[in-house]
Amino acid sequence: MSELLTIDGLSKTYSTTGRHVAALDNVSLRIAAGETLGLVGASGSGKSTLSRVLLRLIEPDSGSIRFEGEDWLSLRGAELRRRRARMQMVFQDTLAAFNPLASVASVLGDPLRIHGIANSKQRLTEIITLLERVGLPAAFASRPVYTLSGGQRQRVAIARAIAPRPSLLVLDEAVSALDVTIRGRILELLVALQRERGLAYLFISHDLAVVRAIAHRIAVMDAGQIVEEGPAADVVTVPRSEAARRLVAAVPRLVTEPD
Ligand SMILES: Nc1ncnc2c1ncn2[C@@H]1O[C@H](COP(=O)(O)OP(=O)(O)OP(=O)(O)O)[C@@H](O)[C@H]1O
């Protein structure tokens, strides 16, 4: 598999009122095309800081990111906007990410327009195709976002993320707020989309059980550092780091064999 994302030596320290927090401390990660890297860690370990750096919302103090062969941190302005189509995000809090009064059609139409995917005539057809692909009826196009359930909103968020035809989705606690049944269905949808489109995922969560269900490899973060990385089954069954052992212990069914 070819390398899609290469993160090398990424560091970021927040300094507020005389306190310094090393949120990212020399983080290096790799993701191949079409694979899922799970990133787990306790609250405050630096996961969201990494996703904010990838999104280019904050600049790291040092380190490099190569994405699709390009120096991701040096992209600016129009070129960054253009390349952003290829790396899309899905967050936990979709009500905050969307204007709740906006229709589903406008939420999905924006990326199509911005990235020049479909002209105004083709747009509604493309929106309906996207809705159907994520398991929502075409009639949802006219619904305001606030009328959708959490699971339905997360499907819209996934539809919006895949609309500009990315090669990588960064999913930051994307299923954490959903109840167990809905969460399972969204994970199934993500797996199906990955197979169809060769998408790669950086799947960020504090919940090792959820990450285990979807990731090929797992990286464990603790206090800004990657303390362990390996095939998903290995990290869950033979955790080497203290941080991974704590996360495994927090999921009793992973360590207890069924009767
Ligand atoms: N803007 C900021 N200013 C100062 N400190 C910050 C800022 N953002 C994050 N931090 C600190 O950096 C560390 C890493 O935070 P981050 O949000 O990246 O962790 P996380 O693993 O995503 O946690 P959670 O799962 O709770 O969201 C924490 O100690 C946090 O308090």
Side-chain angles (χ1 to χ4, degrees):
M1 275 198 277
S2 61
E3 201 125 293
L4 184 70
L5 180 77
T6 310
I7 298 173
D8 264 318
L10 214 57
S11 292
K12 171 73 189 176
T13 297
Y14 295 109
S15 300
T16 38
T17 56
R19 261 187 82 241
H20 303 291
V21 178
L24 297 178
D25 183 2
N26 200 20
V27 167
S28 298
L29 290 171
R30 276 148 185 56
I31 301 183
E35 83 161 338
T36 299
L37 176 68
L39 182 64
V40 277
S43 180
S45 56
K47 308 178 302 293
S48 296
T49 300
L50 182 65
S51 74
R52 287 199 288 269
V53 170
L54 281 170
L55 249 183
R56 297 289 312 276
L57 292 175
I58 55 174
E59 293 293 310
D61 302 325
S62 56
S64 68
I65 300 174
R66 286 197 82 73
F67 175 60
E68 293 191 322
E70 283 189 279
D71 179 358
W72 185 244
L73 294 174
S74 71
L75 295 175
R76 301 270 180 276
E79 184 59 14
L80 175 60
R81 283 195 291 281
R82 196 173 67 77
R83 302 296 305 167
R84 263 199 175 129
R86 305 286 296 157
M87 189 199 294
Q88 291 287 305
M89 311 282 158
V90 180
F91 296 104
Q92 173 171 7
D93 189 357
T94 40
L95 253 195
F98 300 152
N99 169 3
L101 297 176
S103 68
V104 168
S106 81
V107 165
L108 297 182
D110 283 350
L112 297 174
R113 184 174 44 77
I114 292 165
H115 296 294
I117 305 288
N119 65 32
S120 51
K121 271 199 204 137
Q122 302 158 333
R123 212 168 290 149
L124 188 59
T125 315
E126 181 69 21
I127 287 167
I128 289 167
T129 306
L130 283 166
L131 280 175
E132 286 172 349
R133 182 60 206 89
V134 298
L136 293 173
F140 268 54
S142 58
R143 294 260 300 261
V145 167
Y146 78 88
T147 68
L148 272 50
S149 71
Q152 290 163 345
R153 270 204 313 274
Q154 217 52 352
R155 287 178 191 269
V156 171
I158 292 167
R160 183 172 72 163
I162 62 171
R165 297 171 194 167
S167 58
L168 175 68
L169 293 192
V170 178
L171 301 127
D172 191 353
E173 303 284 2
V175 299
S176 303
L178 305 173
D179 78 46
V180 173
T181 321
I182 307 292
R183 179 184 296 173
R185 297 217 185 101
I186 299 283
L187 291 174
E188 279 165 21
L189 170 65
L190 289 170
V191 169
L193 286 171
Q194 179 167 60
R195 285 213 188 99
E196 271 168 43
R197 298 173 182 231
L199 272 168
Y201 298 143
L202 174 59
F203 191 94
I204 301 173
S205 176
H206 65 281
D207 186 337
L208 187 59
V210 172
V211 171
R212 170 72 184 96
I214 192 164
H216 300 114
R217 286 186 302 121
I218 294 179
V220 181
M221 248 186 132
D222 187 38
Q225 297 182 338
I226 303 296
V227 292
E228 177 162 353
E229 192 184 341
D234 293 2
V235 173
V236 169
T237 50
V238 218
R240 286 173 286 120
S241 62
E242 185 50 42
R245 279 195 286 274
R246 277 198 304 269
L247 291 165
V248 169
V251 188
R253 69 181 178 282
L254 282 176
V255 287
T256 330
E257 289 297 321
D259 297 330

